[in-house]
Amino acid sequence: MADDQAALLMAIALRRVSERYACAVDCGDGDLLAAQFTPDGVVESPRGKFVGPEQLSGIPAMVANRYLKTFHAVLNQMVEPIEGGAEGETYCIARHYFHDPAGRYLCYEMTIRYQDRFARTSTGWKLSRRALTVVGTHTYEAQETPN
């Protein structure tokens, strides 16, 4: 029973890290995003490799400069304990809203899998590495709504 409880508490804590990461991107909060990582944390994505707090904290601004708004939904997450932490896979749907050159309001949607490695630190669970794999994309016209 104690092992089951420990596994459940770990899974909840790791999901919260992933949810805060998504929120940080959508809210444009670089400090919140960087706080989800160990000091030597890494994000690997099609846009490049970002290492350490300074580079990681710039990710939300990079996204905000490209899109009007975003919406990241964290879906299922499978994690397993390993020596020194945990690793797993996190599924996400990421929607990116923008106007095209003709003025149409569009959504660029990405289906994503993150390959995650987590470390347990003195301040709680943190990502040490997150590698983004794009499974598929779709762009479609959306209805623009006031913020």
Side-chain angles (χ1 to χ4, degrees):
M1 182 73 158
D3 285 344
D4 289 343
Q5 288 178 338
L8 180 59
L9 291 173
M10 180 192 75
I12 292 168
L14 299 181
R15 181 166 180 90
R16 291 188 69 207
V17 171
S18 293
E19 290 170 345
R20 285 191 299 264
Y21 175 98
C23 180
V25 175
D26 292 342
C27 297
D29 190 335
D31 292 337
L32 178 61
L33 187 131
Q36 304 317 303
F37 287 85
T38 59
D40 59 348
V42 177
V43 168
E44 295 179 31
S45 76
R47 292 238 171 254
K49 185 175 180 178
F50 306 87
V51 182
E54 186 176 334
Q55 290 183 3
L56 293 168
S57 67
I59 292 173
M62 181 184 70
V63 172
N65 286 334
R66 188 171 178 93
Y67 301 105
L68 298 170
K69 56 186 164 182
T70 61
F71 178 90
H72 290 75
V74 177
L75 304 173
N76 43 319
Q77 183 178 55
M78 298 299 297
V79 292
E80 294 293 330
I82 60 169
E83 187 175 331
E87 64 183 12
E89 186 171 63
T90 304
Y91 287 38
C92 178
I93 298 293
R95 293 185 175 139
H96 307 81
Y97 295 93
F98 65 99
H99 289 116
D100 73 359
R104 294 179 304 165
Y105 188 66
L106 301 178
C107 177
Y108 172 61
E109 182 177 277
M110 300 168 66
T111 303
I112 298 169
R113 285 188 182 132
Y114 291 109
Q115 302 305 312
D116 292 327
R117 180 160 295 211
F118 299 89
R120 185 148 194 177
T121 72
S122 62
T123 58
W125 285 98
K126 305 286 183 184
L127 282 158
S128 59
R129 180 178 177 275
R130 173 163 263 201
L132 183 155
T133 301
V134 178
V135 177
T137 65
H138 179 65
T139 302
Y140 55 90
E141 195 160 355
Q143 181 177 347
E144 190 165 9
T145 59
N147 289 334

